[in-house]
Amino acid sequence: MNAPVPAPSFAPGEHCGSALRTPRIIILGAGMSGLLTGIRLRRAGIENFTIYEKATEVGGTWRENRYPGLACDVPAHYYTYSFEPNPDWQHRFARGPEIQNYLRRVADKYDLRRHIIFGEEGVDAHFDGRRWQLRLRSGREDSAEFLIAACGFLHHPREPEIPGLDSFAGARFHSARWDDSVDLHGKRIGMIGTGSTGAQITCSVSRLPCQLKVFQRTAQWVFPLPDREYPLVERELVTEFPGLARFAYRVYDELFDALFSRAMIRPGIQRRLVEAACHWNLRRVRDPELRRRLTPDYQPMCKRIIMSWEYYEAMQRSTVELVTDGIERIVPEGVVTQDGRTHPLDVLILATGFKTHEYVRPMELTNAQGQTLSAAWEARGPHAYCSLAIPGFPNFFLLGGPHSPLANGSVILYTEALVDYVTQCIALYRRGEFDTLAPTRAATDAFCEGLRRNMAGTVWVTGCQNWYIGKDGLPEVWPRRPREFNALLARPRLEDFELSRTPQAA
Ligand code: NAP
């Protein structure tokens, strides 16, 4: 059990057992998951919450990223809140600004803006045994019974450690910090990185009158999922009959579950089908030498697969050159590769991914015993009960934490299950079932042990480097179907938690 805690704060007139308590809740981040949390809290009749957002608008990753070609490679009618279909999607794979507009509209429709304080970033928070005490960058302080981190995990750009990077004399920026002031027309552009981001940038920039050198360290598998624009008549039809969007959602949900989810977690026909599609796609590269250099030496999906009909077409455009010699150093005029060649460049784009194991950090959390989250994760790396709760850190929830069903699929789908789980916990608090709740170490270890056991058949352990891999050498990913993750979260198992409850005066 936790140390005895002081009584919780009740709103005037409330008493545990006779009325629902009204906890205060702080949410960090107004991206897809933070907005969803606000919607669910309001639906539950809870208005005493604040969303702190470091930027000046909602949207999270869809606000931060502005690179050319930005799109979501999960079909738009599936990358949607299940309760909020969007007849306005203009493409099968929604473009970044479309998604950003969707999230803005959702914030307005659900009247969330009055709960959001923009331009405020959490610096640290400590649990005083009863409430989370939060300090923000401006010096503002706040406190609440519950703290929910909805900050995502793809928001700390990772710059490559390449000698001489800072010496580059041209324009240089990370894909997530796109410099709109740089005109790419007529420029010699170099891009390091061929992940999902690099592939989308390649497809877009290769159509411009410029020269693009793609520096590839590891080849990627590309699944040929064709994009298409939805004509006006189709969009009008979906507006008239919203059931069509819901139907599309269900079809994609079945498709992703039947094909990609199963292919990722165990060998079998689904994996062979995805592999066959990737091999077929690769054969669309006509030049055998270029095809050889684009051929990965690991199984499809071990790294997050690229979904693109256009990528290989782009790589064969006359504006694009693939460079596979390792990068030795960067000099003021460009990139020097290990074959001794200097590649002169005007612009250097770093599509080198994110620090994916930070989660809520660098904001530091400290529990009532004085232990920080960084210290709690020091030995084993990030780990959490059901991806969202951490032993010793009561009344704190992480959305999209370690062991979430990442990879290829809709993040929104499982985030809805996470948020419903959190709101169920808060409902129990309101009924006076507990004052503080944190998962037990035993339940968390059992959960993590189950993950390890299930990891064996997954594609992520078949031999490749991917950003899912954690400190223990195993991927920090849910190793079963996302549906099973959602089923696990259907209701909180209170026996897996340490609950503290202040005895009420007779
Ligand atoms: P990423 O998948 O981590 O890819 C980073 C790329 O940079 C890799 O090709 C990596 O090569 C390369 N790289 C890193 N350091 C390097 C170095 N020192 N020298 C040479 N190459 C280096 O990053 P990302 O493409 O930004 O994607 C990150 C995640 O964002 C995705 O997995 C996905 O979850 C999300 N995303 C989603 C979408 C979408 O449409 N839904 C679109 C974009 C991004 P290695 O492979 O050799 O490490």
Side-chain angles (χ1 to χ4, degrees), residues 62 67 71-74 153-154 158 160-162 175 192-198 200 215 217-218 220 303-304 327 351-354 407 465 467-468:
W62 301 107
Y67 59 78
C72 181
D73 62 9
V74 176
F153 58 97
L154 295 172
R158 189 182 58 200
E161 288 172 14
I162 301 175
S175 56
I192 303 176
T194 51
S196 305
T197 302
Q200 292 184 343
F215 293 90
R217 184 166 68 179
T218 313
Q220 290 272 358
K303 281 176 179 289
R304 186 181 190 274
I327 298 173
T352 45
F354 299 86
Q465 275 302 315
W467 61 252
Y468 312 134

Side-chain angles (χ1 to χ4, degrees), residues 178-352:
W178 196 264
D179 187 344
D180 297 307
S181 69
V182 176
D183 181 7
L184 300 181
H185 288 77
K187 299 279 169 44
R188 298 164 303 175
I189 302 159
M191 185 179 64
I192 303 176
T194 51
S196 305
T197 302
Q200 292 184 343
I201 293 174
T202 301
C203 293
S204 176
V205 170
S206 62
R207 286 191 227 108
L208 300 177
C210 60
Q211 286 301 315
L212 174 65
K213 288 199 186 212
V214 176
F215 293 90
Q216 171 189 283
R217 184 166 68 179
T218 313
Q220 290 272 358
W221 286 108
V222 184
F223 187 90
L225 207 53
D227 191 14
R228 81 180 174 87
E229 194 171 348
Y230 292 133
L232 183 62
V233 59
E234 199 172 323
R235 281 183 269 139
E236 283 176 349
L237 212 59
V238 179
T239 308
E240 190 68 24
F241 304 104
L244 289 172
R246 291 199 173 86
F247 178 70
Y249 181 101
R250 295 185 76 91
V251 168
Y252 284 124
D253 189 34
E254 292 302 330
L255 173 74
F256 271 70
D257 179 63
L259 185 60
F260 297 110
S261 302
R262 289 167 197 265
M264 283 184 274
I265 63 168
R266 60 163 192 244
I269 178 77
Q270 293 88 352
R271 194 174 288 180
R272 289 200 297 278
L273 273 172
V274 174
E275 286 173 4
C278 291
H279 281 280
W280 173 84
N281 198 21
L282 186 60
R283 282 199 292 277
R284 293 166 64 210
V285 179
R286 290 177 299 277
D287 174 7
E289 177 55 16
L290 179 61
R291 194 186 316 133
R292 185 189 64 75
R293 294 198 294 142
L294 286 168
T295 304
D297 60 0
Y298 55 88
Q299 282 193 34
M301 291 178 297
C302 185
K303 281 176 179 289
R304 186 181 190 274
I305 208 166
I306 291 169
M307 301 277 193
S308 175
W309 189 262
E310 197 194 341
Y311 183 63
Y312 290 136
E313 200 179 306
M315 290 305 295
Q316 295 175 89
R317 289 188 182 129
S318 58
T319 47
V320 179
E321 182 189 337
L322 176 69
V323 181
T324 50
D325 296 295
I327 298 173
E328 191 185 276
R329 64 183 192 281
I330 291 176
V331 291
E333 56 274 31
V335 170
V336 180
T337 43
Q338 278 158 2
D339 57 352
R341 208 172 140 202
T342 300
H343 303 263
L345 299 172
D346 303 307
V347 180
L348 182 59
I349 301 167
L350 306 174
T352 45

Side-chain angles (χ1 to χ4, degrees), residues 264-267 271 450-462 474-475 479:
M264 283 184 274
I265 63 168
R266 60 163 192 244
R271 194 174 288 180
L451 298 175
R452 267 190 288 279
R453 272 200 312 276
N454 279 289
M455 207 54 84
T458 70
V459 73
W460 305 298
V461 294
T462 53
L474 285 177

Side-chain angles (χ1 to χ4, degrees), residues 90-150:
Q90 298 196 6
H91 302 88
R92 175 175 288 150
F93 298 111
R95 308 310 190 238
E98 284 184 70
I99 305 174
Q100 166 70 349
N101 281 338
Y102 171 72
L103 293 172
R104 277 169 25 186
R105 282 204 308 273
V106 166
D108 292 334
K109 176 174 173 182
Y110 289 87
D111 197 12
L112 295 174
R113 288 185 187 274
R114 65 199 170 86
H115 288 278
I116 305 174
I117 299 183
F118 289 107
E120 283 286 13
E121 186 177 4
V123 175
D124 54 48
H126 79 271
F127 192 66
D128 67 6
R130 187 170 68 90
R131 293 166 76 91
W132 281 99
Q133 304 289 341
L134 171 71
R135 204 163 54 87
L136 295 135
R137 192 157 309 284
S138 67
R140 181 197 285 251
E141 295 183 349
D142 197 352
S143 74
E145 274 84 9
F146 289 94
L147 180 64
I148 302 172

Side-chain angles (χ1 to χ4, degrees), residues 398-459:
L398 197 53
L399 303 180
H403 332 300
S404 301
L406 304 172
N408 294 92
S410 174
V411 180
I412 299 183
L413 182 75
Y414 70 79
T415 305
E416 290 190 3
L418 288 166
V419 172
D420 286 346
Y421 184 97
V422 171
T423 44
Q424 286 186 67
C425 290
I426 292 172
L428 292 170
Y429 172 93
R430 296 186 77 194
R431 295 208 299 265
E433 303 271 338
F434 67 84
D435 294 333
T436 70
L437 148 151
T440 63
R441 170 51 66 192
T444 306
D445 286 349
F447 174 76
C448 293
E449 185 45 41
L451 298 175
R452 267 190 288 279
R453 272 200 312 276
N454 279 289
M455 207 54 84
T458 70
V459 73

Side-chain angles (χ1 to χ4, degrees), residues 50-73:
T50 298
I51 304 176
Y52 288 106
E53 166 55 55
K54 67 174 187 238
T56 53
E57 184 48 290
V58 304
T61 193
W62 301 107
R63 179 204 58 236
E64 294 281 289
N65 282 283
R66 295 185 322 279
Y67 59 78
L70 175 68
C72 181
D73 62 9

